[in-house]
Amino acid sequence: MEHQLQKIAISGPTLTSLLQRFSASPADIDGLLFGRVTLVTPTLTDDSASASSDHPHLIATITSFLSFNSALSFYDPLGNLRLGPNQYQNLLGWFSARRRSALRPSMRELSVSSSLSKSSNYNSAASANDINTSYGNFSPCIFLLVATPVQESLIHTHDYRAYQFVASTSFEAKSVEVVNIGPAFRGHYGNFSPTSPLPVLSCEMRGSSMMMTEEESSRESKEATRDQRQLNKCAEGFEVRRLRQLLGSESTSYTAGLEDMYEKMLAKIESLARQVETSSAKVLEQENLNRKLRYKVIRAGLE
């Protein structure tokens, strides 16, 4: 009896390691896939959309793999297995990694999958926590195909697709879920606690640790006076202390004064812009005059 899988899951580190092994190999490779098959019973909800998926389903999770140095490693060109009986446990299936190839299984890969699924030596006996006794053993019928694009690309480097060998005659494509990658797993990384305390910062006043000299005090007083003078100059005709009157119930009577201040500021900005424009024109005129003088000097020297 063949059991239909709902989907195939693979851990992020396992998939990354497999792709790295394929990238580092000088040629095509293949190997075996290991893991577990779990019977998932969905929880009952009042949502009518989940009524069609309220029955238990199987999920195969790939947790590790064994890769060989080249293709045709554990099987012959006809697809017959070269593995000894009971040589591997928890075997789910196998994978094939090809370079510049279409993401489509070949007849040889179909034959290898058929040999694995028909052999009773590699059936994975699931524990009671995974699959109940009504499902029994699970034959290794998973096939993972990895390929690089036909056209070389610096960004798009690998494609992969998972299949289940069904009815002893064909492949059925299955969705692949990469565990620990994606929005569904962000909650696992949202709670962190610091492992090292923040450094102790000195909050003492400067005057409590050492006496300020007269020179430092005078310099700070001059800087504060200069800053206040510049701020008053920007708000000329509308002192800073009057800004407090813009808060509260009396603010409406001071709106006209604030608008007058903005008009004066805009007039100053316009005046500055005209001065910059005039000075730029004078600089350009002086540069042209200097260029003519240099030309006359060079011409006089040549004559």
Side-chain angles (χ1 to χ4, degrees):
M1 176 181 178
E2 295 181 355
H3 312 304
Q4 292 289 331
L5 293 173
Q6 182 72 16
K7 62 181 177 180
I8 298 174
I10 182 171
S11 64
T14 302
L15 179 60
T16 303
S17 179
L18 194 152
L19 295 179
Q20 176 62 27
R21 175 68 179 87
F22 176 39
S23 300
S25 64
D28 299 346
I29 62 172
D30 54 28
L32 303 176
L33 300 174
F34 304 92
R36 64 181 184 275
V37 180
T38 308
L39 177 66
V40 178
T41 303
T43 57
L44 298 178
T45 62
D46 296 333
D47 187 7
S48 60
S50 61
S52 59
S53 59
D54 57 354
H55 58 278
H57 53 267
L58 293 176
I59 298 178
T61 303
I62 302 172
T63 57
S64 60
F65 68 94
L66 175 63
S67 64
F68 300 96
N69 295 329
S70 61
L72 298 176
S73 54
F74 62 94
Y75 57 89
D76 58 20
L78 297 179
N80 300 319
L81 301 180
R82 296 174 178 173
L83 300 176
N86 301 326
Q87 187 175 357
Y88 300 102
Q89 297 180 353
N90 300 325
L91 181 63
L92 293 181
W94 70 295
F95 73 91
S96 177
R98 307 191 303 244
R99 298 184 184 276
R100 296 188 181 183
S101 174
L103 205 63
R104 184 172 55 251
S106 63
M107 294 300 296
R108 178 183 296 169
E109 292 164 348
L110 182 70
S111 177
V112 175
S113 298
S114 177
S115 300
L116 274 177
S117 62
K118 291 179 180 178
S119 178
S120 60
N121 296 327
Y122 311 108
N123 288 346
S124 301
S127 61
N129 295 331
D130 293 337
I131 301 180
N132 55 21
T133 54
S134 63
Y135 281 87
N137 295 333
F138 183 83
S139 59
C141 58
I142 294 177
F143 174 63
L144 180 64
L145 178 59
V146 183
T148 60
V150 178
Q151 300 293 334
E152 292 186 355
S153 174
L154 297 178
I155 300 176
H156 184 196
T157 57
H158 293 86
D159 288 319
Y160 59 88
R161 183 175 297 173
Y163 299 89
Q164 181 184 8
F165 186 76
V166 295
S168 300
T169 56
S170 61
F171 283 120
E172 182 176 334
K174 297 294 180 179
S175 61
V176 180
E177 178 184 10
V178 181
V179 183
N180 292 334
I181 295 180
F185 298 91
R186 291 176 182 172
H188 297 284
Y189 307 99
N191 298 323
F192 292 97
S193 58
T195 57
S196 60
L198 293 175
V200 179
L201 302 178
S202 177
C203 298
E204 298 179 356
M205 296 297 294
R206 185 176 180 183
S208 62
S209 59
M210 60 180 180
M211 296 299 293
M212 295 178 60
T213 63
E214 294 182 1
E215 183 180 356
E216 292 176 349
S217 178
S218 177
R219 183 171 61 252
E220 290 186 359
S221 178
K222 291 180 180 179
E223 291 177 356
T225 304
R226 185 178 66 253
D227 294 341
Q228 185 66 34
R229 190 182 304 113
Q230 292 178 353
L231 184 59
N232 292 336
K233 188 176 180 180
C234 293
E236 184 178 356
F238 200 94
E239 290 77 7
V240 177
R241 65 175 182 271
R242 295 181 58 187
L243 293 176
R244 299 179 181 177
Q245 299 174 351
L246 295 175
L247 302 177
S249 58
E250 300 180 357
S251 60
T252 56
S253 60
Y254 294 96
T255 304
L258 188 61
E259 291 178 351
D260 182 65
M261 182 191 71
Y262 283 145
E263 290 179 359
K264 292 181 179 179
M265 292 177 63
L266 292 175
K268 289 183 179 180
I269 293 175
E270 184 179 0
S271 176
L272 290 174
R274 291 178 179 176
Q275 292 178 8
V276 171
E277 183 180 0
T278 304
S279 61
S280 298
K282 291 182 179 180
V283 170
L284 180 60
E285 182 181 356
Q286 185 64 37
E287 288 181 352
N288 293 333
L289 180 60
N290 294 339
R291 189 180 300 108
K292 292 179 180 179
L293 292 176
R294 286 195 300 268
Y295 176 74
K296 290 181 179 180
V297 171
I298 296 174
R299 185 175 181 181
L302 293 177
E303 292 177 354

